[in-house]
Structures are given as structure tokens and as C-alpha cells.
Amino acid sequence: MDKMCLKLFYPLVVLLLHMSPLGFVSGLRRGATNIRCIEKERQALLAVKQGLVGNHSLSSWGGNATTDCCKWERVHCSKQTGHVTKLDLSDTNLSGSIPDVLGNLSSLLDLNLARNSIGGQLPKTIGRLCSLQSLDLSFNNLSGSIPDVLGNLSSLLDLNLARNSIGGQLPKTIGRLCSLQSLDLSFNNLSGSIPDVLGNLSSLLDLDLTFNSIGGQLPKTIGRLCSLQSLDLFFNNLSGSIPDVFGNLSSLLRLDLTFNSIGGQLPKTIGRLCSLKFLDLSYNNLSGSIPDVFGNLSSLLDLNLDANSIEGQLPKTIGRLCSLQSLELSENKLSDSIPDVFGNLSSLLYLSLAGNSIEGQLPKTIGRLCVLSLDLSRNNHSGEFSEFIQVLFGCAGNSLTSLYLSGNQLTGRIPERIGSLSNLEDLDVSMNSLTGVITEAHFSNLSKLQFLDLSSNSLTLNIRSDWLPPFQLGSIVLRSCKIGPYFPKWLRTSQRSFFLLDLSDAGISDIIPSWFQDNSMNDFQYRGLNLSSNQLEGPIHSLPSELVSVDLSSNNLSGRISFLCTSKDRNLRFLDLSSNSFSGELPNCWKHLENLVILDLSNNAFSGKIPTSIGSPASLETLKLSKNNFAGELPSSLKNCTNLQVFDIGENSITGMIPEWIGISFSQLAILILRSNQFSGSLPLELCHLKDIQLLDLSWNCFSGTIPQCLNNLTTLAQKGSSSPSIMHSISAGKEDDTYERYEDDASLMWKGRMSEYKSTLGLVKSIDFSSNRLDGEIPRQITDLIGLVSLNLSRNYLTGQMPPQIGKLQSLDFLDLSRNHIYGRIPTSLSQIYGLSVLDLSNNNLSGEIPIGTQLQSFPPSTYAHNPQLCGLPLQKTCPTGETRSKQVPKEEEDELISFEFYVGMGLGFAVGFWGVCGSLIFNRSWRYTYFGFLNVLRDWLYVRAMFIRRQRML
């Protein structure tokens, strides 16, 4: 019966299929497309939406339109299983933190949350995404550390956590990601060292850990990453040397270790990296020479070894790098000459050898190169300039865009032929010994010239006033060139907008023309103007509001400086109007100059009170108002200038007391000069808060009271040496500009009887000058703790008491003046041990006793000790009376002399013990008493017999 049924059913099925051949298949397809997302994953996505606050792009999630999460925007599901496989929420302006439920999306292959504002830590549940192949959380605000569970993502191919705030160390579990091909953790706060387990990532192609704080040595296990193509570790704290095993990275195309502290020599094994195209080891501590094996890097396009300590000759094997396009070896210790084989670098476009000790002429073979940029500045190249550049008129003559030869020893004239370098954009031949006249012919074909620096030579510009330059320069530096006596009119047509104009010390005796003062200059954000050290005269009515740096010092300019108030949008950061004839009161518009960093108005004829708005530029680091006629008290608004490092208001008529806020607000102050004013009152204890002070000059005022005993809190003065020989400032061009100008500060002080100015060595000057005041009391002994002091001047006061016995601790002293006070007592013997002391004045005091004998104090002239009536000994002609002379001895503090309170106590105890130890024994012990007196009787008899025997012998 069953067989019969089957026979009847079989034809029926065939008939149905024949009648509807597509119906069954289409039904299967409809079943496949109706697969919906997993409810658990739907709930997880809704929780993600709840945790990540943000954009309307997630509005479709959970709305009325559909409950199927596979149809939600930026969600991708598997058509076979319905599981969520890809979640792309990049560039959606999301914030908040990543919720833990994200770990429920167990089938996720691709997760991209890049370029948002997501914060918080990485959830540990992310370790449950075992199928994940790509994870991109870059450009967010993630913090915390990388969780160990990240090592569970065994299928991961790409991991990108760049540009967050992730800290801590790299977890060792990262070594379990054996499938990983790309790892980017750059621009974070990672620390610690690179774990050895990183060498387990055998599939890794790209590794980027740049801009972190990773330290320690480079692990040798990196040599096991044979598939690695790109290794970027620049801007970290790596140390040690480059391991030889780096030569095993046979697939490496790019190696960047810039800005670390890697030392040692360049390993020869680098010569095995035949596929390498980019090698940057600049700004490290590498030493030794460049190995010859570098010539084996036949694929190399870019080689940068700038700013190391590499020495020796340039290897001739570099001539084999025929593919090399850029060679940068500046700021090293390379010597000798450029080898001829450099002419074989047929692909070379950029060559920089600046800041070495390379000498000699350019090899003639260089003429074969069509190089675009050549930088040989700050070397020892010498000879005639015209001969030196002769080789550049070959192929380079048609291609050269930049030529930097500054800071060499080139001589002679600049040939007119230089004008044939028609593609030249930058020309810098400054700081050589060039002579001769520059005319229009030198610039005839330089229509593309943008940067010109002829400064610090002996050149004269002889150019017609009606000349129309063929170029539009962005920067002109003609310092110390003879341009005058008139202001060059050709600037009017060639210089409508500029980056930098420097005509300082150019022999100009003229007024600043109105067309220059009114120049709008709208094309550039950063502009510098330097017209200092000329004989410019007349008033200034206006200056372009876009200027950032202005130096008009050392001229004859006059009038008021109200032109500073003509614009409310000034970006001025550096202003030097010193050593002119400006007069009148300062304008009260400094609120418009809130970006000022350096302000120098010294040595003019300004008068009146210092305006209250002078404290508005809170970023001010240097303020110099000395040698004017300012009166009144210091405005309290100055306490807003908390970044102030140099404050000089000397030689004015400022009155009142030193404000207490100087010691509190000016915590970074290094130079404080208040000399030659009318300050009065006592010295505030708050001065002792100036821990960074190194030059404190309060001389020629009316200060009274005692010297504060807390001076040993001046930390910088209590330390020997200095971290820098000068005081430098970095002046930014603007908020959106990474250009900086370096400014070297200067200051003047009384040194060895004359006013001296210090600049390049200002950081080494450590001085206290309280002279010519009304200070009284004793010199505090705490001042001897300032062992870094080079100069100490307390003269012309009413100081009393004795000199501090430990004054010999001031071993760095070169200048000491305690004259014209009421100091009494002996000169401490420790003073003779300050062997570097070259100036000493103790005259006009009440010192007494002998001048300590030694090789130092006797070398000074008698005037050093004059007008101390009770002082004697060399070098004075007055000899010391008998009993007064002290023999030469090892210096001690005066309070440690032999006759002291302790001496008397010891003498009394010794007498008592000795007396009762002997006499007490004789009184209380009868046998000792009989024996003692018996000994005395025998001794008496022996002496008597001996004396009689000697007498008899003489009689015979």
C-alpha cells in the first residue's frame, strides 16, 4: 500500500514543479531575505546609542520605521546569520563613553568609531569580540590604559587607537595578536618600554608608536618582524643603541626614529635593508661615522641624519645611491670636503649639509646634478664666492630654487651672473666676508625670488630709486649692508606684503616714509620689521596693524608713541623702541596689545606715571622701562604679568615701597633691576620667594631696615653654574601659526666700577647689589648659602656687626664690595680661600686685627683695606704689634677659635679630675702616701749627691 502511495505522489510532485519552475526557488529566497537581526544584538545597539550621545545619524535606531537593526543606518549584518558584522559610526560627532554591552556583538568583524569626541576608558568587554578583524577608535578623547583583554582578539588584523589620551604601558598580552597586520597607537600618552612580546606579531606590516613617552631601549625581538614594512617611533624617549637585529627586517620600507635619545654608532647591518626607501634617524645622540655599507641601500629615496654627533668624512659609497632624492646630514660633526662621487646622485633634489665642519670647494661633478635645494650654511667653506658657485651654472642653473651659503668664510664679490639662476626662490649668503657693490643687474632674471639675505657682509647696494624689481619678496634681510642714506624706494613696489624686513645697521639717515607706515600688508599673518641701529628720525604716525615683531631701537625717532593705539586688533608680540628720543606720557591703551611678550621702552625721554593698563598683556615676559623719567608708584596691575622673567625699571624716579606682590606674582622672575630710583621703606620678605632670581639690583635708592635673613631661599643663587649661558624667549607668530622667533635678552649692571651689558652670557651672571641705600644691622649669615653668587655689593650703607665667618663658602665670587659701612672685627680667614676673587673692597669700615695671610688677600692693592684704622698687616704698610700677629693656618670659622666657652669648661673639669685623682689618693690611702713621700726623699738625696759630684769635678 505504501509503495503504491509513493508511486502516485511522485508524478504529482513532478507535475507541480513543471507547472511552477520558479515558485519553489523564489520561496527559498524570500525566506533568506526575511532573516532579521538577533534580538540580543539589537538591544546592545540600543544601549550603544544610549551611551554615545550625539548625532541625528542614529535617529533610525529603534524608531517607528523598523525594528530590524540590520536596516539601521551604519549597521551591516550577515545575510546568512543575521548577526551584526560591521558598525561604522565614524565622523558622527559622538561623545560620551563606549558602553560595556558592546561586547555582546560577538560576531562583529569591523568596528569604526574614529573622528568623534568619545571619552572614558576602553571597556574590558571589548575582549569578547573574538571575531573582530578591524578596530578603529582613532581621533577621540579616550583615556585610561589599554586593557589586557585586548589580547583576546585573536582575529584582529588592524588596530588603530591613534590620537587619544591613552596612557600607561603597552600590555604584554598584545603579543598574542598573531594575525595583526597594522598597529597604530600614535599621539597618545603611553609610557614604559616596548615589550619584548611585540616580536611575536609575525604578521605585522605597519607599527606606529609616534608621539608618546615610551622609553627604554629598542627590544631586539623587533628583529623577528620579518614582514614589517613601516616602523615609526619618532618623538619618544627611547635610549640605548639601534640593535644589529634591525638588519633582519628585510621587508622594511620606512624607518623613522626621529626625536629620541638613541645613541651609539650606526649599525652596519642597516646596509642589509635593500628595500628601504625612507630612513630618518635625526635629532638623536648617534655618534661615530657613516658606515660604508649605507651605499648598499639602493632603493633609498630619503636619508635624514640631522642633529646628531656623527663625525668623520662623507663616505664615497653614498655616490651609489642613484635613487636618492633627499639627503639631510646637517648639525653634525662631519669634516673634510664633499667627495666627487656626489655627482653620481642623479636623482638628488635636496641636499643639506649645514652646521658641520665641511671645507673646500664644491666638486665640479655637482654641476651634473639638477638639484632643487642646496644648503651648505654654517660650515668652513672658503675661497672666492664666484669660483665656489661656478659649478652651479650647469644643470642646477636651470633648476635650483634654494641656495643657502650663510656662515662660511667665502670672500670676494657676488657675480652678476647669479641673476641667471632664473628659478631661484631663496638666496642666503649672510655672515661671510663678501665685499663689493650690488646693482640691479644681480637681480635681472630673479623673478621668482621670495627670500633674500645678504646680511653681515661688507656689501653696498647701489640701486636706482626708480628701479622696478622683477620680484615680490616675502623676506628681505639686509642687516649691516650699506643702503643709505635714504630709505630705499624700490621697496614700495617690490614689498607690498612681507614676512620679514630687516634693514638694521644699514646707514639710513632718513624719516620713515608715509607710504611705508600706511602699508596694509594683508597677505601674511606673521611679519617682522627691524630698522634698528640706523639714524632714522622724526615721529611715527602709524604702523601696519598686522605686524608681530617691531624693532626700531637705536635711532633718533621722537614724539609720542600714540600710534600704538590706532588699532584695536594688533597681534604685536615683540616691541623694541629703546634708545630713541620718544617723549611724553605712555598711552593707556595697552589692553589692545594683550599678546605682547617683549616690551622694551628703555633709554628714551618718557615721563609721567606708568599707566595702569601696562599690566594688561598677561603674556609679558620682558618689561624694560629703564633710563626714562617715570615717576609715581608701580601700578598694581603689573601683578597680572605672572610670566615676567625680566623686569627693569632702573634709572627713573619711581617712589614708594617695593610691593609685596612682586615676590608673589613674579614667580618666574630672573632679572629684577630697580636701581637709581626713589624707592623707600624696608625690603619685603616676599623677595625671598623669587626662587629663579639671578640678578637682583636694588642699588641707589632709599631702602632702610635690615637685610632679610631668608635670602637663602633664592634657589638659583644657592646653586653653582647655570643651565643656559643666555636668557632666551620663543615668540610665537600667532595662535594658528607654528612659526617662532628666538629673542635673546640682555641686561646691564655695575661690574668692577663700570656699567657693563650682558647678553650671550647673561644666564651666567648671578649678582646681588644693595649698595647706596640706608640698610643697617648685620650682614645675615644666610647670605653665605648663596654659593652661586658671582657678584655681591653691599657698599655705601649703614651695616654693622662682623663679617660672616663662613663667607669663604662663596667660592664663585668674582666681585665683593662691602666698603663704606660700619663693619667691625677681624677679617674672616675663610675669605682668603675664595681664589677666584678679582675685585675686593673692604675700605672705610672699622675692621681691626691682622689681614689674614695667604696668597689671595695680599695680592690686592692697599686701597682695598684703606680707612680701617685698626687694620694691619700686608699689603698695608702698618705692621701689627707683637702678640697681634697670627701665623698662617688652615682657615676656620672665627667661632671655632681656641679660646671659647667650651675651652674654659674643659680646663676646669681637667683640673678637678687631675687634682683629686692625685691628691685624693695621697690623702685617703696611707700606703700610697708613705711611698710617695719616700720617693721624694730618695729623689732629693740623689739630686744632692749628683750636684756635689759635678761641683767637685769642676774644682779639679
Side-chain angles (χ1 to χ4, degrees):
M1 185 67 179
D2 294 337
K3 292 181 179 179
M4 184 62 69
C5 291
L6 287 174
K7 289 179 179 180
L8 293 172
F9 181 75
Y10 181 78
L12 182 61
V13 171
V14 173
L15 179 64
L16 289 172
L17 290 174
H18 179 72
M19 293 174 62
S20 182
L22 299 176
F24 182 73
V25 178
S26 63
L28 289 175
R29 290 178 178 173
R30 283 195 300 271
T33 57
N34 287 334
I35 295 176
R36 302 169 62 85
C37 73
I38 310 303
E39 180 61 25
K40 181 181 179 181
E41 296 181 358
R42 178 179 179 276
Q43 294 300 324
L45 288 173
L46 291 175
V48 169
K49 177 183 178 181
Q50 187 73 22
L52 297 176
V53 183
N55 199 280
H56 58 79
S57 60
L58 304 185
S59 59
S60 65
W61 290 22
N64 296 327
T66 178
T67 58
D68 186 0
C69 64
C70 292
K71 296 182 179 180
W72 291 353
E73 189 176 354
R74 294 179 176 268
V75 178
H76 302 268
C77 297
S78 171
K79 293 182 179 180
Q80 286 73 36
T81 64
H83 285 289
V84 176
T85 58
K86 181 178 180 180
L87 182 60
D88 185 356
L89 300 179
S90 59
D91 293 296
T92 51
N93 198 27
L94 295 173
S95 58
S97 59
I98 303 173
D100 292 336
V101 294
L102 188 68
N104 294 342
L105 303 176
S106 56
S107 298
L108 204 60
L109 301 176
D110 190 336
L111 175 59
N112 191 345
L113 303 177
R115 293 176 295 280
N116 284 289
S117 300
I118 300 171
Q121 300 186 16
L122 285 169
K124 294 183 179 180
T125 56
I126 207 168
R128 301 208 300 260
L129 305 179
C130 298
S131 301
L132 200 63
Q133 297 179 4
S134 177
L135 176 60
D136 191 348
L137 305 177
S138 60
F139 291 88
N140 278 287
N141 300 322
L142 295 170
S143 59
S145 58
I146 300 174
D148 291 335
V149 294
L150 211 64
N152 299 338
L153 308 181
S154 56
S155 301
L156 202 61
L157 301 177
D158 299 304
L159 175 58
N160 191 346
L161 302 178
R163 295 185 183 269
N164 281 282
S165 299
I166 299 172
Q169 300 186 17
L170 286 168
K172 293 183 179 180
T173 55
I174 207 168
R176 301 206 301 258
L177 304 178
C178 298
S179 301
L180 199 63
Q181 296 180 2
S182 177
L183 177 59
D184 190 349
L185 304 177
S186 60
F187 291 89
N188 277 286
N189 300 321
L190 296 171
S191 57
S193 58
I194 300 174
D196 290 335
V197 294
L198 210 63
N200 299 338
L201 307 181
S202 55
S203 301
L204 200 62
L205 301 177
D206 301 303
L207 174 59
D208 192 346
L209 301 177
T210 60
F211 276 96
N212 281 285
S213 299
I214 298 172
Q217 299 187 12
L218 291 164
K220 294 181 179 180
T221 55
I222 286 184
R224 301 206 301 258
L225 304 178
C226 298
S227 301
L228 197 64
Q229 296 179 5
S230 178
L231 177 58
D232 290 307
L233 301 176
F234 65 87
F235 270 105
N236 277 285
N237 300 321
L238 296 169
S239 57
S241 59
I242 301 175
D244 289 335
V245 294
F246 268 47
N248 300 336
L249 305 177
S250 55
S251 301
L252 201 62
L253 302 176
R254 174 186 173 89
L255 175 59
D256 193 343
L257 304 179
T258 311
F259 283 102
N260 280 283
S261 299
I262 299 171
Q265 298 189 10
L266 291 164
K268 295 181 180 180
T269 54
I270 283 185
R272 301 206 301 258
L273 305 179
C274 298
S275 300
L276 198 64
K277 293 185 177 181
F278 179 92
L279 177 59
D280 193 343
L281 306 178
S282 59
Y283 293 92
N284 278 286
N285 300 321
L286 296 170
S287 58
S289 59
I290 301 174
D292 291 335
V293 293
F294 266 51
N296 299 337
L297 305 178
S298 55
S299 301
L300 201 61
L301 301 176
D302 194 330
L303 174 59
N304 191 341
L305 302 178
D306 282 351
N308 281 283
S309 297
I310 298 172
E311 57 190 7
Q313 301 179 7
L314 291 165
K316 295 181 180 180
T317 55
I318 284 184
R320 301 206 302 259
L321 304 179
C322 298
S323 300
L324 198 64
Q325 297 178 4
S326 176
L327 177 58
E328 300 175 67
L329 303 176
S330 63
E331 308 303 333
N332 279 286
K333 299 178 181 179
L334 297 170
S335 57
D336 211 330
S337 58
I338 300 174
D340 290 338
V341 293
F342 268 49
N344 299 335
L345 303 177
S346 55
S347 301
L348 196 64
L349 299 177
Y350 183 84
L351 175 61
S352 176
L353 301 176
N356 284 284
S357 299
I358 299 173
E359 56 191 23
Q361 296 282 328
L362 282 174
K364 294 181 179 179
T365 55
I366 292 289
R368 301 202 300 258
L369 302 182
C370 300
V371 66
L372 297 179
S373 178
L374 180 61
D375 189 352
L376 303 178
S377 56
R378 289 173 287 113
N379 277 286
N380 296 326
H381 294 296
S382 58
E384 286 283 330
F385 182 82
S386 57
E387 295 180 5
F388 187 83
I389 67 169
Q390 183 67 32
V391 299
L392 298 179
F393 294 105
C395 184
N398 299 319
S399 61
L400 194 65
T401 60
S402 301
L403 179 59
Y404 304 100
L405 299 176
S406 65
N408 281 283
Q409 301 166 25
L410 298 172
T411 59
R413 298 172 178 270
I414 298 177
E416 292 183 359
R417 191 180 179 187
I418 201 169
S420 64
L421 301 175
S422 56
N423 285 307
L424 202 61
E425 297 176 3
D426 297 342
L427 175 61
D428 185 355
V429 295
S430 61
M431 291 183 288
N432 281 282
S433 300
L434 302 176
T435 57
V437 179
I438 303 295
T439 66
E440 301 91 335
H442 288 81
F443 307 110
S444 57
N445 295 317
L446 302 182
S447 59
K448 297 181 180 180
L449 197 63
Q450 297 179 15
F451 175 85
L452 176 64
D453 192 345
L454 306 178
S455 63
S456 300
N457 285 289
S458 299
L459 297 171
T460 300
L461 269 70
N462 186 9
I463 295 177
R464 303 190 315 270
S465 60
D466 60 345
W467 177 58
L468 296 177
F471 45 69
Q472 285 287 326
L473 290 176
S475 295
I476 306 177
V477 184
L478 302 176
R479 181 177 59 254
S480 301
C481 294
K482 299 306 176 186
I483 301 173
Y486 302 111
F487 201 91
K489 293 183 179 180
W490 55 268
L491 289 176
R492 186 171 188 175
T493 54
S494 70
Q495 195 56 48
R496 296 189 183 278
S497 57
F498 57 79
F499 175 86
L500 173 64
L501 175 62
D502 188 346
L503 303 181
S504 58
D505 189 25
I508 301 175
S509 302
D510 199 357
I511 62 172
I512 300 178
S514 58
W515 57 263
F516 181 85
Q517 297 188 37
D518 297 334
N519 193 348
S520 59
M521 299 181 298
N522 292 319
D523 296 337
F524 291 84
Q525 291 185 349
Y526 174 79
R527 298 166 191 84
L529 173 63
N530 189 346
L531 301 178
S532 63
S533 302
N534 284 288
Q535 297 179 30
L536 295 169
E537 56 187 26
I540 297 178
H541 302 292
S542 66
L543 282 177
S545 60
E546 295 84 1
L547 282 167
V548 173
S549 175
V550 175
D551 189 350
L552 302 177
S553 61
S554 301
N555 281 286
N556 296 321
L557 297 169
S558 58
R560 296 176 178 268
I561 59 170
S562 54
F563 63 89
L564 294 174
C565 303
T566 56
S567 175
K568 296 183 179 180
D569 300 320
R570 287 192 179 275
N571 191 33
L572 200 60
R573 296 170 184 269
F574 176 92
L575 178 61
D576 188 350
L577 303 179
S578 63
S579 300
N580 278 285
S581 300
F582 291 113
S583 59
E585 296 186 358
L586 291 183
N588 197 16
C589 61
W590 299 96
K591 292 181 179 180
H592 303 157
L593 301 168
E594 58 182 10
N595 295 316
L596 262 182
V597 177
I598 308 294
L599 176 60
D600 190 349
L601 304 178
S602 60
N603 197 19
N604 278 283
F606 293 115
S607 59
K609 293 184 177 181
I610 300 174
T612 55
S613 63
I614 197 73
S616 298
S619 56
L620 207 61
E621 296 180 7
T622 293
L623 176 58
K624 298 178 181 178
L625 304 176
S626 60
K627 297 181 181 179
N628 282 285
N629 298 313
F630 291 117
E633 299 185 357
L634 292 177
S636 60
S637 62
L638 280 172
K639 63 184 177 183
N640 298 326
C641 303
T642 55
N643 295 312
L644 208 61
Q645 298 177 29
V646 177
F647 184 35
D648 184 358
I649 56 168
E651 299 180 51
N652 282 285
S653 300
I654 306 295
T655 59
M657 302 174 64
I658 297 181
E660 296 178 355
W661 46 259
I662 281 187
I664 299 173
S665 298
F666 296 169
S667 59
Q668 301 180 43
L669 200 64
I671 310 292
L672 176 60
I673 300 177
L674 307 181
R675 68 166 171 266
S676 299
N677 278 283
Q678 298 177 22
F679 285 105
S680 58
S682 60
L683 301 181
L685 297 178
E686 285 74 14
L687 285 178
C688 298
H689 295 165
L690 300 176
K691 297 185 180 297
D692 293 334
I693 200 73
Q694 65 177 61
L695 198 163
L696 180 58
D697 189 348
L698 309 181
S699 61
W700 294 95
N701 279 283
C702 302
F703 294 117
S704 58
T706 60
I707 299 174
Q709 297 186 6
C710 55
L711 288 180
N712 54 351
N713 292 332
L714 304 179
T715 308
T716 299
L717 292 179
Q719 298 173 347
K720 288 186 177 181
S722 175
S723 58
S724 174
S726 60
I727 298 179
M728 300 293 294
H729 304 267
S730 294
I731 304 172
S732 169
K735 295 179 180 179
E736 300 179 357
D737 196 323
D738 59 356
T739 306
Y740 286 85
E741 179 180 341
R742 301 278 288 173
Y743 170 71
E744 189 175 25
D745 231 318
D746 60 0
S748 59
L749 71 153
M750 186 65 68
W751 188 268
K752 300 181 180 180
R754 64 179 183 180
M755 192 64 68
S756 302
E757 185 171 300
Y758 294 86
K759 188 171 185 177
S760 59
T761 59
L762 180 59
L764 304 177
V765 178
K766 295 184 176 183
S767 171
I768 289 180
D769 191 346
F770 292 165
S771 63
S772 302
N773 281 285
R774 301 172 183 174
L775 299 173
D776 54 26
E778 297 186 357
I779 300 174
R781 62 177 179 80
Q782 290 83 357
I783 208 168
T784 62
D785 293 332
L786 305 180
I787 59 175
L789 269 179
V790 177
S791 172
L792 177 61
N793 191 347
L794 303 178
S795 63
R796 295 179 178 84
N797 280 286
Y798 302 107
L799 298 174
T800 59
Q802 300 186 30
M803 293 176 62
Q806 298 178 338
I807 198 168
K809 291 168 59 179
L810 302 180
Q811 290 292 306
S812 300
L813 269 186
D814 180 75
F815 178 93
L816 176 62
D817 190 349
L818 303 179
S819 63
R820 291 173 174 80
N821 280 286
H822 303 300
I823 302 170
Y824 58 83
R826 293 180 178 270
I827 297 175
T829 55
S830 65
L831 185 64
S832 63
Q833 300 301 307
I834 306 179
Y835 298 110
L837 197 62
S838 63
V839 176
L840 174 66
D841 193 348
L842 302 178
S843 63
N844 294 279
N845 278 288
N846 296 319
L847 297 171
S848 59
E850 183 191 14
I851 299 173
I853 299 175
T855 59
Q856 184 68 13
L857 299 184
Q858 275 66 43
S859 64
F860 294 108
S863 59
T864 298
Y865 310 101
H867 303 291
N868 286 281
Q870 301 181 43
L871 203 59
C872 60
L874 294 174
L876 298 177
Q877 294 182 353
K878 180 180 179 181
T879 57
C880 298
T882 305
E884 183 72 26
T885 303
R886 294 189 290 185
S887 62
K888 183 177 181 180
Q889 57 184 320
V890 177
K892 300 178 181 179
E893 276 102 49
E894 298 296 314
E895 57 214 30
D896 290 335
E897 290 181 345
L898 180 63
I899 307 302
S900 62
F901 175 75
E902 291 80 2
F903 171 80
Y904 291 113
V905 172
M907 184 177 67
L909 290 174
F911 175 79
V913 172
F915 177 81
W916 287 108
V918 176
C919 297
S921 301
L922 298 178
I923 294 174
F924 297 107
N925 193 316
R926 180 179 297 177
S927 61
W928 286 20
R929 184 167 62 252
Y930 288 164
T931 302
Y932 175 72
F933 285 112
F935 169 75
L936 291 179
N937 288 331
V938 171
L939 180 62
R940 184 194 61 182
D941 293 342
W942 182 84
L943 290 173
Y944 177 77
V945 172
R946 185 67 179 169
M948 294 300 296
F949 176 77
I950 293 173
R951 182 179 178 185
R952 186 175 181 180
Q953 288 288 344
R954 289 178 177 177
M955 291 177 65
L956 294 175

